[in-house]
Amino acid sequence: MASTSSLYLGVPSFFCNPTSTLPHFPLTSPLHYKKKDGIFPQIRASTTTSSTSPASPLSEFRLFDPPQVESTPSELEPADPDFYKIGYVRSVRAYGVEFMEGPNGFGVYATKDVEPLKRARMIMEIPLELMLTISQKLPWLFFPDIVPVGHPIFDIISSTNPETDWDLRLACLLLLAFDVEGNFWQLYGDFLPSADECTSLLLAEKEDLLELQDPDLASKIEGQHQRAIEFWEKNWHSAAPLKIKRLARDPERFLWALSIAQSRSFSKQIKLGALVQDVNMLVPYADMLNHSFQPNCFLHWRFKDRMLEVMINAGQRVNKGDEMTINYMSRRKNDMFMERYGFSSATNPWDVINFSGNNQIHLDSFLSVFNISGLPEEYYHNGLLSNGEDSKFVDGAVIAAARTLPTWSDRDTPPVPSIERKAARELQEECRQMLAEFTTTSNQDQEILDSNPETSRTREAAIKYRLHRKLFLEKVIQALELYQDRILY
């Protein structure tokens, strides 16, 4: 393996050679944060799609190379040097990436071009000792084991439901880490977003939940909030020992820890010697990777060294300045992303529309119009065959439409074009009826966002959620319009 770089202070670069100084670095995750006047604002998730891959000597893809001003993404600036320092002295390494902060929080960006290669390339490694992990099944195992023998937090963790309460257990472990003298998270916690900087709806006011214009999702969030409050009241009562009380003296502190556990954790199978465990883990620095439906990175466990690696996908290209991303959840709708992470996307390729009528269009013809190929669950846009207009129009929303529009198969008797167009028009009308059921239009939602820049993070996320739903419906209406103009059999 090529030599690792070291973090250095002073220059905005990454963990490079020992004689260098330390840089700043950006995050990419559901919560974005930045240090301003001693406060670290929230990190907000990006849904940008960037994809890359590959492998090559680590010595060429160096970590924390000083960023070139001309190629640094616009409106981005280096992160606080202390953020690098606390990781460097504890053997965190990164190669060929830098952490930069912009208007929407932190992100991880490539510092050089990476050509497509046959094998994945590592860009970051984080040792197990810095993580907070807990096994998903009994008996509870912690790696590393920071729970002192006889500590009452273990009894609290043991009282949780093994099937459903993984987030409660991880939140308890996080709160304990803040209380353990010399623990890394006492330092790293200074860079986590505060309660009013998080987009997690666990921290939202009831008025914010109404802004979702989705009663079902609002009800789920209220249920999650009540579950957390009841858990805190049960374990942080007046007779609780001081070593428990000081972890979360008020319910807001526990709700914050729970939101961090939900929005910044990973579920992964790790191997330690002969022991294989499915664990939930909080991984510093890796939690800075933002989400993308077309990610260019993935996470890999290197069991020989007990390291979590961030790897660039094989077979893809990365350009200097590209944001490095991972996929938080596969094949999940926007309401799932909103419930756990506090963000949504207008181009989520797995979102759905629940049509109620009997109108159907021809699937193969619809796909052909937009040069969409693949099996029913693996649609993709064949950009090589499409013209410029199609390439700009087809995105995740059109792919989602291909999955959710009521269709008839090529085994059925094809109707005449007039009947096909009539079905498409009626599907459009049903979409318009769904839009009419909202109390605001997409334009009004955008005006609200533009005219209230100081609105709370949770309210902003809620308004964006309903806006994205409307943009999705409007995109489907447009797609059906194009389909009527270009019906193919």
Side-chain angles (χ1 to χ4, degrees):
M1 176 185 294
S3 61
T4 58
S5 315
S6 311
L7 240 168
Y8 53 93
L9 299 166
V11 193
S13 141
F14 242 46
F15 315 141
C16 270
N17 61 62
T19 59
S20 320
T21 23
L22 207 131
H24 312 31
F25 63 158
L27 311 175
T28 43
S29 97
L31 307 171
H32 285 299
Y33 39 88
K34 168 182 181 181
K35 187 174 183 180
K36 290 181 180 177
D37 301 324
I39 298 177
F40 294 84
Q42 145 193 22
I43 287 178
R44 303 171 56 195
S46 157
T47 53
T48 347
T49 63
S50 72
S51 230
T52 68
S53 52
S56 100
L58 293 177
S59 56
E60 292 185 10
F61 197 55
R62 290 169 41 196
L63 159 69
F64 302 123
D65 287 334
Q68 302 300 315
V69 175
E70 66 275 13
S71 62
T72 300
S74 61
E75 300 185 313
L76 296 178
E77 60 185 48
D80 191 309
D82 288 343
F83 202 25
Y84 292 84
K85 183 178 181 180
I86 63 174
Y88 164 64
V89 297
R90 290 166 176 80
S91 302
V92 173
R93 295 291 184 270
Y95 308 88
V97 294
E98 59 184 343
F99 296 81
M100 300 294 292
E101 181 182 22
N104 294 323
F106 286 89
V108 183
Y109 296 86
T111 58
K112 65 185 299 182
D113 295 339
V114 180
E115 296 301 318
L117 297 176
K118 292 183 179 180
R119 58 190 180 91
R121 172 180 296 175
M122 180 178 65
I123 59 171
M124 204 183 303
E125 56 183 3
I126 303 99
L128 175 67
E129 289 69 28
L130 297 192
M131 306 176 201
L132 295 178
T133 69
I134 181 172
S135 58
Q136 295 180 4
K137 297 180 180 179
L138 289 166
W140 305 127
L141 298 175
F142 312 98
F143 308 103
D145 189 356
I146 66 168
V147 182
V149 176
H151 197 288
I153 197 70
F154 184 80
D155 296 328
I156 294 177
I157 289 175
S158 295
S159 70
T160 60
N161 185 328
E163 301 298 324
T164 59
D165 294 342
W166 66 269
D167 52 344
L168 297 177
R169 294 188 287 274
L170 202 54
C172 288
L173 200 58
L174 176 63
L175 290 170
L176 176 65
F178 292 144
D179 192 58
V180 175
E181 185 176 354
N183 188 276
F184 169 78
W185 285 80
Q186 289 185 323
L187 301 174
Y188 194 74
D190 290 340
F191 296 89
L192 295 175
S194 63
D196 59 355
E197 295 159 353
C198 294
T199 58
S200 172
L201 295 186
L202 277 174
L203 304 169
E205 302 290 340
K206 286 191 175 181
E207 293 76 12
D208 294 345
L209 297 182
L210 294 176
E211 298 291 350
L212 292 167
Q213 297 183 2
D214 185 338
D216 291 338
L217 178 57
S219 177
K220 286 182 181 179
I221 299 299
E222 289 179 344
Q224 289 287 324
H225 185 275
Q226 185 61 29
R227 163 179 169 259
I229 294 297
E230 290 175 355
F231 183 80
W232 179 85
E233 291 175 343
K234 174 185 175 182
N235 297 290
W236 274 266
H237 49 78
S238 58
L242 177 60
K243 59 177 63 176
I244 290 297
K245 281 185 177 179
R246 67 191 184 203
L247 301 184
R249 295 187 180 277
D250 52 61
E252 288 73 22
R253 174 67 172 175
F254 183 77
L255 284 169
W256 172 83
L258 186 60
S259 72
I260 295 295
Q262 289 185 355
S263 62
R264 306 182 74 88
S265 65
F266 306 109
S267 299
K268 198 159 187 67
Q269 186 176 85
I270 67 174
K271 183 179 180 182
L272 298 170
L275 183 64
V276 177
Q277 284 285 330
D278 293 313
V279 300
N280 297 112
M281 50 177 42
L282 284 167
V283 186
Y285 301 101
D287 65 358
M288 294 180 264
L289 293 162
N290 273 320
H291 167 78
S292 171
F293 293 107
Q294 294 178 308
N296 51 26
C297 293
F298 66 95
L299 304 179
H300 173 259
W301 178 253
R302 194 170 82 219
F303 75 93
K304 292 179 65 176
D305 301 308
R306 308 199 326 172
M307 292 273 189
L308 185 78
E309 300 174 323
V310 179
M311 310 286 288
I312 299 179
N313 296 333
Q316 295 178 328
R317 176 185 301 277
V318 174
N319 296 320
K320 184 176 181 179
D322 283 352
E323 184 175 11
M324 315 309 290
T325 58
I326 59 175
N327 192 338
Y328 289 175
M329 293 192 294
S330 178
R331 304 186 177 194
R332 292 294 185 268
K333 300 183 295 181
N334 270 345
D335 59 347
M336 294 288 291
F337 280 95
M338 200 67 198
E339 182 179 349
R340 178 165 173 182
Y341 298 104
F343 71 87
S344 58
S345 169
T347 58
N348 182 346
W350 297 99
D351 219 2
V352 298
I353 298 175
N354 298 315
F355 289 95
S356 59
N358 298 320
N359 299 291
Q360 295 176 307
I361 60 172
H362 190 280
L363 176 60
D364 292 338
S365 297
F366 182 84
L367 297 178
S368 298
V369 165
F370 300 106
N371 290 301
I372 297 174
S373 310
L375 299 174
E377 291 301 314
E378 299 174 345
Y379 297 136
Y380 61 90
H381 180 229
N382 193 339
L384 297 177
L385 300 179
S386 62
N387 58 37
E389 179 183 350
D390 280 342
S391 297
K392 294 177 182 177
F393 182 80
V394 177
D395 55 20
V398 178
I399 301 294
R403 288 194 174 94
T404 62
L405 282 172
T407 57
W408 53 272
S409 70
D410 53 4
R411 297 179 182 177
D412 299 325
T413 304
V416 296
S418 60
I419 297 178
E420 185 83 351
R421 289 192 175 90
K422 180 176 181 292
R425 286 196 295 271
E426 292 181 357
L427 288 171
Q428 286 179 307
E429 182 56 32
E430 188 167 356
C431 287
R432 294 190 182 98
Q433 290 174 4
M434 293 179 191
L435 286 170
E437 292 173 359
F438 289 101
T439 56
T440 57
T441 66
S442 59
N443 288 336
Q444 289 171 332
D445 290 341
Q446 191 60 60
E447 289 176 5
I448 292 172
L449 291 172
D450 293 341
S451 60
N452 296 280
E454 301 303 319
T455 189
S456 70
R457 298 290 189 182
T458 51
R459 178 160 297 193
E460 179 185 12
I463 295 173
K464 284 184 176 179
Y465 170 77
R466 77 192 194 207
L467 169 61
H468 292 158
R469 184 63 174 170
K470 294 164 193 173
L471 294 176
F472 177 31
L473 289 166
E474 291 170 358
K475 190 63 173 284
V476 173
I477 292 174
Q478 288 180 279
L480 288 168
E481 192 67 38
L482 287 173
Y483 175 56
Q484 293 174 62
D485 293 339
R486 309 180 190 176
I487 289 181
L488 304 175
Y489 290 97

